[in-house]
Amino acid sequence: MAAVLHSAPRFASNEGVRETLSAALGDMLLASKEEHGEIVLGVERERIEDALRLLRDEHEYQQLMEIAGVDYPTREERFDVVYMLLSLTKNHRVMVKVRAAEDTPVPTVTTLWPNAGWLEREVYDLYGVIFDGNPDLRRILTDYGFEGHPFRKDFPLTGYTELRYSEEEKRVVYEPVELAQDFRTFEFMSPWEGADYILPGDEKAAQAPAVPSVAVPKTTESPKQTGADAKTDAKAAKKVSKGAPAKKKTGKAAPTAPKPTEDRPARKPRARKTPEGGAS
């Protein structure tokens, strides 16, 4: 039986990768695990640049695909900065994490990958993580006058002001946020588990009167109640007109066929030139 070739690349196995990278990182490594089919490495914040350089140069993780932020408000170092690396030669990915607080800067990795400049700006804009050494650490997704960081879990969901373009004033204006309804917290629990409290609206169920049961189903007493009697059937069977529909008189004559066009005399054939230059 012939082998089937697929166009999709085959992912490399994680077997032995965690042990190899953990031994290579040495004392820079704080924790490691394999979760959801991915290798996750936690390293020291101050040595993140050295750790990523080692993975790039000695273990062939050539590309920095993404930098993401995660917020844990109840933790002392509330932020996780996640670096996602890709090895083109091995077709393998790893994630490297560091922890940071609100006032704890994370060393920049723009010295390793130029695209890290924009990725670090996104994390700074949305979470407020400071990257020490980034040459252009400015907001990149929100407006420059925006206050706060919208991806923090303690950020107000309704906001304070909104930014829009005013056609009347022909400029960008700031206005207080006006919502059509108040923010509501919805409960998405399983209906089989049930709640240990009364859900909104259920308190009315006890006050509602009980619906009386019907012993004998209601039936139609006479054909007149449904409109189906002999008079109605005769009216429905009566034809409105006989034969073809009547022609509508408009007072205008019916259009006739157009007059034939005049015949034109046939053109005389053109004289063709011979190869010698004369007319034939």
Side-chain angles (χ1 to χ4, degrees):
M1 183 177 180
V4 179
L5 300 179
H6 297 276
S7 58
R10 183 175 298 174
F11 288 96
S13 173
N14 290 334
E15 184 178 358
V17 175
R18 176 184 173 187
E19 293 76 9
T20 302
L21 298 182
S22 299
L25 292 172
D27 57 352
M28 292 185 290
L29 184 69
L30 298 178
S32 66
K33 62 180 178 179
E34 181 176 349
E35 189 175 18
H36 305 297
E38 295 180 328
I39 303 296
V40 184
L41 306 171
V43 301
E44 294 183 1
R45 178 178 58 256
E46 294 78 7
R47 305 181 68 181
I48 180 62
E49 183 181 0
D50 297 334
L52 295 183
R53 179 182 286 109
L54 184 144
L55 295 176
R56 184 195 66 176
D57 298 343
E58 299 184 15
H59 295 273
E60 300 179 355
Y61 288 93
Q62 300 94 346
Q63 288 193 357
L64 173 65
M65 304 303 297
E66 184 62 274
I67 301 179
V70 188
D71 185 17
Y72 300 94
T74 58
R75 204 172 63 186
E76 183 178 357
E77 292 181 330
R78 61 183 296 180
F79 299 115
D80 272 356
V81 182
V82 187
Y83 302 83
M84 305 177 189
L85 306 182
L86 169 65
S87 172
L88 299 176
T89 53
K90 300 178 181 179
N91 193 21
H92 194 266
R93 298 174 185 264
V94 294
M95 291 196 300
V96 182
K97 292 184 178 182
V98 298
R99 290 189 176 187
E102 298 183 35
D103 55 350
T104 306
V106 178
T108 182
V109 294
T110 53
T111 55
L112 304 177
W113 292 283
N115 67 319
W118 283 53
L119 300 177
E120 290 175 354
R121 286 178 62 181
E122 289 182 357
V123 178
Y124 162 73
D125 189 2
L126 299 178
Y127 291 93
V129 179
I130 302 173
F131 291 90
D132 185 22
N134 188 300
D136 189 19
L137 194 61
R138 297 177 296 156
R139 292 187 181 271
I140 191 173
L141 297 177
T142 59
D143 183 69
Y144 294 125
F146 190 87
E147 296 181 1
H149 304 280
F151 274 17
R152 289 192 181 187
K153 292 184 178 180
D154 54 3
F155 187 80
L157 298 179
T158 56
Y160 297 111
T161 59
E162 62 181 355
L163 180 70
R164 70 175 183 87
Y165 180 79
S166 174
E167 287 288 347
E168 294 78 10
E169 301 183 21
K170 302 298 181 183
R171 65 181 182 89
V172 177
V173 297
Y174 288 86
E175 293 179 345
V177 174
E178 295 181 1
L179 300 178
Q181 66 179 19
D182 294 335
F183 179 79
R184 294 181 294 174
T185 301
F186 295 92
E187 296 288 343
F188 299 99
M189 63 172 58
S190 173
W192 289 275
E193 296 176 359
D196 54 357
Y197 57 90
I198 299 177
L199 293 176
D202 286 357
E203 66 276 2
K204 303 176 183 179
Q207 304 174 3
V211 179
S213 58
V214 180
V216 181
K218 185 175 178 60
T219 59
T220 305
E221 302 296 339
S222 64
K224 290 184 179 181
Q225 295 180 354
T226 62
D229 54 358
K231 186 177 180 181
T232 304
D233 295 341
K235 186 177 180 181
K238 185 179 179 181
K239 294 183 179 181
V240 178
S241 61
K242 298 180 180 181
K247 295 182 179 180
K248 186 177 180 181
K249 296 182 179 180
T250 59
K252 297 181 180 179
T256 58
K259 297 180 180 180
T261 57
E262 297 180 357
D263 295 336
R264 295 183 179 179
R267 293 183 179 180
K268 295 181 179 180
R270 296 182 179 181
R272 294 181 297 173
K273 293 183 179 181
T274 59
E276 290 78 9
S280 59

